[in-house]
Amino acid sequence: SLKPFHTATRILTCTPTHIHMDIHARTRTGNQGENWYVPIGRSLKPRLISMAKGARIESVCWDRDCEDNANTGVIMVGTSTGTICKTQIVDGREKFWKEIFSLQDAAHPICGLHYELFPPSGKGYMDNARKYFVMAATPTRYYEFIGGPTYDALFAQYATAPAFIELPGDLDYSDLHFFRKENGRASSFVWLTGPGIYSGSFSFGSQNAGDSIIHDYKLLPYSSEVHGPPLGLLSTEFHWFVLFADRLQVINQLTQEVAWEHSFASRHVYGDMRGIVQDAVSGKLWVYADYMVNEVAINGEDQNVWRCYLAKGQYDTALQYCQDLSQREKVLTAQADHYFSEKQWELAASMYAKTKRSFEEITLKFINLDEKNALKRYLSDKLDNMRSTDKAQLTMICTWLCEMYLDKLNSVKDIGSEAQYGYILDEFRHFLQDNVSNFDAETTYQLILNHGRMDVMLYYAELNGDHDRVISHHVQRREWTKALDVLAKCPDASLYYVHSPTLMQHAPVGTTNAWINASRTSKKFLDPRKLIPALMRYNIANNPPGHKANQALRFLQHCVKNLESRDPVVLNYLVTLFCQQDDEKAMLAFLADYGGPNGRLDLQYAMRACQQSGKREACVHILASLEQYEQAVDLALDIKDIELAKLNADKVEDNDDLRKRLWLRIARYVIEEEKDVRKAIAFIGQTDMLKVEDILPFFPDFARIDDFKEAICTSLEEYHEQIEELKQGMEEATKSAELIRKDIGDLRGRFGFVRSSQKCGFCRQPVLAAGLYLFPCQHGFHITCQEQWMLQEHLGETDKRRVRELKQAIRAEEARGHAGGGVEAGGLERMRAELDDVLACDCPLCGNPAIDMINKPLPPLAQGPSYWDLPPLRL
């Protein structure tokens, strides 16, 4: 609450964030009063501003960036004495109070005071220093101040009152408001004056002190129907709200007409109207009187703005505020009609293309005017605005435009400059590239050819992926290099098969390069078999100068080596080409790489081809690959190639008899055909299969012994050494036999000790209770237990069968002896010894039978737990 002698408040201002408020209170005795400050963000207790005595605060310019509840930041205050002061209130007390400017005219109170920051220039640190625009208004004048970076520096530039705009009137108060969008910079202002509402827009640039940033200013007089001066004024984006004593008027800024009006008829209810204020945060407007406060609700303020801009001819701005397609259609149509009436044909065409006006109507307009450029512009823009699903319309428009471009090209080529012709041609090509999918190919080809534009036809064919047409064109003109360039870019392998025969005939090197490059990208892209017709048309005489290599061989070798082709047709044709070569080395190398038993070649075909072409050495290699070594050696001897014959004779493996026969053939050939005894004797040193006695039968009856005397002596010496080795071996065998007989005799008299407490390793019964086997390891087992375990776990079927036969024979011999019959001397003992050798060959506990049991798998669990019982073998 204020002091008791204060009867009313005159001025009340609040920060945009509602945390600070200034109040000027009027006393009962006069207009002078006191200035108060209320820290709304902390409490509602008013505090006296003591430093402002003698001056009434008329307006406050708050610091919008300060959000401290206890600190207002640096603010400017306009007083009733025409001064502008700078102050800062911290914790309810003025930190300082300083006059920074005076109008030097006490009769003009500063009723409105606002500031705005210039946008940063972005040139440098000093250029980005804060630069202010301050606007101060009195009841009849407004002033502009520009400068910075502080308020003191700004006003220091104005030693005297700056230039001003004056509107004389009889009001002793005024109101000034800036409009800014949320978080934006102020864009316009409105000023309440006696003659009317004065408004203008801001244009921030490079202005300095003494300049003005206000433009598009105008004065709107008050309506003659209103009696009495206005009490308050506020501005929104498109309207002014003007409060009078008996009504509230809303005036459209664009048309300057009253858009809405509300009368206050119940004065006894409201009392006198006092003012209108706006919440800077929410944008809400409030009208207050002596006994009431009403909110002014704003809904759809911009819904008819587009009509206002349309009426003013500001079409682009009107489009920005259109809220549906029908409004946009009206604006575009009006704009198009305006351009058409002004004979700006191309602009009109561009606008008509965005509307829904009849296609036939617009095109006929420009056809009747013979405006081809405008018609082309309309069709182009219409094409851009059409949906991709309208296939028929797109094709029709594209075809029409294509014809117009072709006609333009022909006319410009005849009478225009080269630069203009090139520009139109580039434009046409871009058009074809952008709309290639919208054309009907056959129609377009026919249209282009009718105009004789072969270059355009080729360009369109490439865009359309019609490589066949382009290649055929170049082939017809014998432009082989260009045809190959197009073929290299073609992703369709079928075109290679179609055009390669002709290209291979006339440009073999380039064609082969194209094949190889295509196959390097993808090994399966080309089928070499389908290219054989082209290879068959190849003639090495058509190679360009400097290229002697056979291109067919080059490509097929690439297929076999790099593409790993196994196609028998390809391999057989490659063999045929090798057979046609004069030099047999390439064929031999190819056979060495791919002609083995597990190779890719059809050796039977290769054999026939080599025989027909007379490649006899190659035939030898093929016969060797077929393991027909005798024929290979015979053929090698037929061609008198002794080294080749010897090489093939040594290829025989696992058959020493055949290998010896082949070497004998070679030796016989050398002796009988070449009459070279020394050479034949030399064979003995080249292989271990021949001896001198093997080749002696081939020598003539009257051959001189001097030629092979040394060989005979060497052979006799080798025989002597072998005899000595045999004698030494026989002596060692005799000694070994004697030692064995001695060991056997010793074993017969060998014995071992058995303790009376020792038990059988199988049944755990006393081992002396029955016949037993005692092993050198001192393990003892009953004969019956040993026999049962060996039959079950260790012996194979053959040994089991032999055990049964021996037991049966022993029982028969024993029965014969008991019957009084004669028993063969030593026969029974021999059978028992053999049976013992089988059953007691080794200890089942620590000998080989125990080791062999490691490899036996465990029994399946499904056979029952009994199968998991270990054999009855115990220590």
Side-chain angles (χ1 to χ4, degrees):
S1 62
L2 301 175
K3 293 182 179 180
F5 56 82
H6 296 139
T7 59
T9 59
R10 175 177 175 83
I11 302 296
L12 185 148
T13 62
C14 183
T15 61
T17 53
H18 310 155
I19 57 177
H20 305 287
M21 182 172 67
D22 277 342
I23 300 175
H24 176 73
R26 186 176 59 203
T27 64
R28 295 189 184 93
T29 58
N31 290 333
Q32 294 298 326
E34 295 176 338
N35 301 299
W36 297 79
Y37 162 74
V38 181
I40 304 175
R42 304 180 70 182
S43 69
L44 297 179
K45 182 179 180 181
R47 300 179 183 181
L48 182 65
I49 302 176
S50 59
M51 293 185 181
K53 287 185 177 181
R56 184 176 69 245
I57 296 177
E58 296 288 342
S59 57
V60 179
C61 184
W62 297 98
D63 183 358
R64 297 195 304 271
D65 298 330
C66 182
E67 297 182 358
D68 190 349
N69 293 342
N71 187 357
T72 63
V74 178
I75 61 177
M76 291 188 293
V77 176
T79 67
S80 58
T81 59
T83 61
I84 298 176
C85 299
K86 180 180 73 170
T87 185
Q88 183 176 6
I89 301 175
V90 181
D91 294 329
R93 298 182 179 276
E94 306 96 289
K95 187 175 181 181
F96 58 84
W97 182 279
K98 178 182 179 182
E99 179 181 319
I100 55 178
F101 184 79
S102 176
L103 295 178
Q104 300 177 356
D105 191 344
H108 292 111
I110 298 178
C111 303
L113 186 62
H114 291 275
Y115 84 93
E116 187 57 79
L117 285 170
F118 275 75
S121 63
K123 295 179 180 179
Y125 173 76
M126 294 304 298
D127 294 331
N128 290 331
R130 293 169 71 91
K131 184 178 180 180
Y132 292 94
F133 164 71
V134 177
M135 188 172 182
T138 68
T140 59
R141 299 176 182 177
Y142 77 79
Y143 301 85
E144 295 180 65
F145 304 92
I146 299 175
T150 62
Y151 291 143
D152 293 314
L154 185 155
F155 288 104
Q157 302 176 88
Y158 298 90
T160 59
F164 57 85
I165 297 297
E166 184 173 11
L167 297 176
D170 53 0
L171 292 181
D172 61 351
Y173 60 87
S174 179
D175 207 353
L176 176 67
H177 288 281
F178 280 9
F179 172 76
R180 60 172 58 84
K181 292 185 178 180
E182 185 178 0
N183 298 325
R185 186 171 281 103
S187 59
S188 62
F189 78 97
V190 62
W191 176 34
L192 179 67
T193 67
I197 300 172
Y198 189 85
S199 64
S201 300
F202 298 139
S203 177
F204 293 96
S206 58
Q207 297 93 341
N208 293 308
D211 298 333
S212 175
I213 69 169
I214 298 175
H215 69 97
D216 194 21
Y217 45 83
K218 50 186 172 291
L219 176 65
L220 177 64
Y222 302 116
S223 173
S224 58
E225 299 177 0
V226 179
H227 302 287
L231 302 178
L233 173 67
L234 282 177
S235 175
T236 60
E237 186 174 4
F238 300 109
H239 295 86
W240 295 316
F241 289 76
V242 187
L243 179 66
F244 295 92
D246 59 345
R247 70 189 66 193
L248 174 65
Q249 283 187 345
V250 180
I251 300 174
N252 189 310
Q253 297 181 23
L254 303 176
T255 62
Q256 298 188 358
E257 297 176 353
V258 177
W260 182 79
E261 185 177 87
H262 177 74
S263 299
F264 304 106
S266 304
R267 185 175 181 182
H268 63 283
V269 177
Y270 299 144
D272 294 333
M273 303 305 297
R274 293 300 180 185
I276 181 171
V277 293
Q278 184 178 24
D279 187 339
V281 176
S282 65
K284 294 181 179 180
L285 273 65
W286 305 86
V287 175
Y288 60 94
D290 289 339
Y291 311 125
M292 67 84 191
V293 176
N294 283 347
E295 179 185 355
V296 181
I298 303 175
N299 296 317
E301 180 186 9
D302 60 347
Q303 63 182 355
N304 291 319
V305 170
W306 67 276
R307 293 183 183 274
C308 301
Y309 284 116
L310 178 61
K312 299 175 69 174
Q314 299 180 14
Y315 303 106
D316 293 337
T317 308
L319 287 172
Q320 296 177 9
Y321 292 97
C322 290
Q323 298 179 355
D324 54 45
L325 294 178
S326 61
Q327 296 175 4
R328 184 177 181 83
E329 178 69 17
K330 292 178 181 178
V331 175
L332 291 173
T333 302
Q335 187 176 11
D337 289 338
H338 170 73
Y339 287 143
F340 191 85
S341 64
E342 295 291 328
K343 297 184 179 182
Q344 299 182 29
W345 310 119
E346 293 196 30
L347 288 176
S350 180
M351 291 297 106
Y352 278 130
K354 299 176 183 178
T355 68
K356 296 181 179 179
R357 293 280 287 272
S358 170
F359 178 81
E360 294 81 0
E361 175 190 355
I362 304 303
T363 53
L364 286 175
K365 273 187 175 184
F366 295 117
I367 291 174
N368 293 333
L369 292 171
D370 195 24
E371 286 292 335
K372 294 182 179 180
N373 291 334
L375 178 60
K376 184 167 73 70
R377 176 72 175 273
Y378 173 73
L379 294 175
S380 298
D381 289 358
K382 194 70 176 177
L383 185 65
D384 294 338
N385 294 322
M386 292 185 70
R387 296 175 299 180
S388 59
T389 55
D390 298 332
K391 295 294 185 181
Q393 292 88 339
L394 288 171
T395 301
M396 181 192 69
I397 294 176
C398 287
T399 305
W400 194 350
L401 282 169
C402 180
E403 185 175 12
M404 295 182 71
Y405 273 113
L406 291 169
D407 183 65
K408 184 71 173 179
L409 282 173
N410 290 337
S411 60
V412 171
K413 188 174 183 180
D414 295 336
I415 60 175
S417 63
E418 288 293 332
Q420 185 180 7
Y421 174 80
Y423 174 79
I424 296 175
L425 182 59
D426 288 343
E427 183 181 351
F428 184 30
R429 287 182 173 179
H430 281 95
F431 166 73
L432 291 174
Q433 183 177 359
D434 295 339
N435 300 279
V436 64
S437 61
N438 297 327
F439 286 100
D440 176 71
E442 292 303 323
T443 303
T444 306
Y445 284 133
Q446 191 62 38
L447 183 63
I448 295 173
L449 292 176
N450 288 342
H451 284 78
R453 303 297 310 191
M454 192 61 64
D455 57 334
V456 176
M457 188 275 291
L458 293 176
Y459 181 77
Y460 171 70
E462 289 186 8
L463 290 177
N464 199 36
D466 193 355
H467 299 94
D468 187 19
R469 186 182 295 267
V470 180
I471 297 172
S472 299
H473 170 79
H474 290 309
V475 169
Q476 291 174 2
R477 298 173 63 90
R478 305 182 69 84
E479 297 173 343
W480 314 117
T481 303
K482 292 183 179 179
L484 288 171
D485 290 342
V486 177
L487 185 64
K489 302 175 184 176
C490 178
D492 186 4
S494 63
L495 294 183
Y496 281 82
Y497 309 139
V498 171
H499 296 284
S500 288
T502 303
L503 293 172
M504 192 64 182
Q505 185 177 1
H506 297 90
V509 176
T511 306
T512 305
N513 291 338
W515 292 348
I516 294 176
N517 292 333
S519 62
R520 283 174 178 167
T521 305
S522 174
K523 290 185 177 181
K524 297 182 179 180
F525 178 69
L526 293 177
D527 184 358
R529 174 183 287 200
K530 296 181 180 180
L531 295 173
I532 289 180
L535 294 172
M536 297 179 69
R537 299 184 65 177
Y538 166 67
N539 187 345
I540 195 171
N542 293 330
N543 279 12
H547 293 80
K548 298 180 180 180
N550 187 305
Q551 299 302 310
L553 279 175
R554 177 182 166 219
F555 175 70
L556 291 178
Q557 285 180 298
H558 165 74
C559 294
V560 174
K561 182 178 180 180
N562 299 325
L563 304 185
E564 301 177 355
S565 175
R566 293 183 175 271
D567 191 339
V569 176
V570 175
L571 293 169
N572 291 344
Y573 188 64
L574 180 56
V575 169
T576 302
L577 292 179
F578 275 126
C579 290
Q580 294 174 1
Q581 304 300 307
D582 296 333
D583 189 359
E584 199 172 351
K585 292 182 180 179
M587 182 66 180
L588 294 174
F590 180 67
L591 290 173
D593 292 336
Y594 304 102
N598 299 322
R600 309 178 199 172
L601 289 181
D602 180 357
L603 295 177
Q604 299 293 340
Y605 176 84
M607 184 66 185
R608 291 194 301 271
C610 291
Q611 286 177 340
Q612 292 174 2
S613 60
K615 299 292 187 294
R616 304 185 71 183
E617 187 175 350
C619 292
V620 174
H621 284 276
I622 295 172
L623 288 171
S625 298
L626 293 172
E627 298 184 354
Q628 298 179 9
Y629 300 110
E630 293 188 53
Q631 293 90 330
V633 171
D634 291 342
L635 185 57
L637 294 176
D638 287 344
I639 62 177
K640 300 181 180 182
D641 193 338
I642 305 299
E643 295 299 325
L644 182 59
K646 291 191 292 184
L647 180 64
N648 284 276
D650 280 337
K651 290 181 179 179
V652 179
E653 297 178 357
D654 302 329
N655 192 340
D656 291 341
D657 292 339
L658 175 59
R659 185 179 175 192
K660 185 174 182 179
R661 287 201 308 272
L662 296 178
W663 274 100
L664 287 173
R665 287 187 185 184
I666 300 171
R668 184 172 185 174
Y669 174 83
V670 172
I671 295 173
E672 295 180 354
E673 298 295 332
E674 296 187 0
K675 311 297 182 178
D676 192 345
V677 176
R678 292 183 178 275
K679 189 174 183 181
I681 294 298
F683 283 173
I684 300 174
Q686 297 177 5
T687 178
D688 57 351
M689 303 304 298
L690 295 181
K691 302 294 183 182
V692 66
E693 61 270 23
D694 294 330
I695 64 173
L696 282 176
F698 304 140
F699 291 144
D701 295 337
F702 300 101
R704 293 180 59 184
I705 196 172
D706 293 340
D707 294 333
F708 49 91
K709 179 176 64 175
E710 184 177 352
I712 293 174
C713 294
T714 302
S715 179
L716 292 174
E717 291 175 357
E718 291 177 355
Y719 282 131
H720 178 72
E721 291 176 357
Q722 293 177 3
I723 291 171
E724 292 297 325
E725 290 176 357
L726 288 174
K727 287 174 62 178
Q728 184 178 357
M730 291 175 63
E731 292 175 357
E732 292 177 354
T734 301
K735 292 179 180 179
S736 298
E738 291 177 354
L739 292 174
I740 292 172
R741 284 194 296 270
K742 182 179 179 182
D743 291 340
I744 292 173
D746 295 340
L747 287 173
R748 291 181 184 276
R750 187 175 179 181
F751 62 91
F753 294 94
V754 179
R755 298 188 302 275
S756 60
S757 60
Q758 187 171 347
K759 300 182 182 300
C760 175
F762 289 118
C763 65
R764 305 308 294 169
Q765 297 298 322
V767 71
L768 296 175
L772 62 97
Y773 285 124
L774 181 65
F775 292 94
C777 58
Q778 299 302 312
H779 290 137
F781 306 92
H782 291 142
I783 293 176
T784 54
C785 294
Q786 175 82 6
E787 178 182 349
Q788 181 181 356
W789 188 87
M790 290 292 286
L791 290 173
Q792 181 179 351
E793 300 293 338
H794 184 66
L795 296 180
E797 291 299 328
T798 303
D799 291 336
K800 289 179 181 179
R801 185 167 56 251
R802 182 58 181 164
V803 169
R804 288 192 293 268
E805 292 174 353
L806 290 172
K807 290 181 66 176
Q808 185 177 358
I810 291 172
R811 284 195 297 269
E813 288 294 329
E814 290 178 346
R816 186 183 306 161
H818 291 311
V823 179
E824 182 181 355
L828 184 60
E829 292 297 328
R830 188 171 59 256
M831 287 188 290
R832 286 175 177 171
E834 184 179 356
L835 181 62
D836 291 341
D837 290 339
V838 175
L839 295 177
C841 61
D842 206 347
C843 177
L845 201 60
C846 60
N848 288 329
I851 295 173
D852 293 340
M853 288 184 66
I854 295 175
N855 295 328
K856 290 187 177 182
L858 295 174
L861 186 62
Q863 294 182 2
S866 62
Y867 284 88
W868 285 76
D869 292 342
L870 295 175
L873 183 63
R874 305 178 181 89
L875 295 174

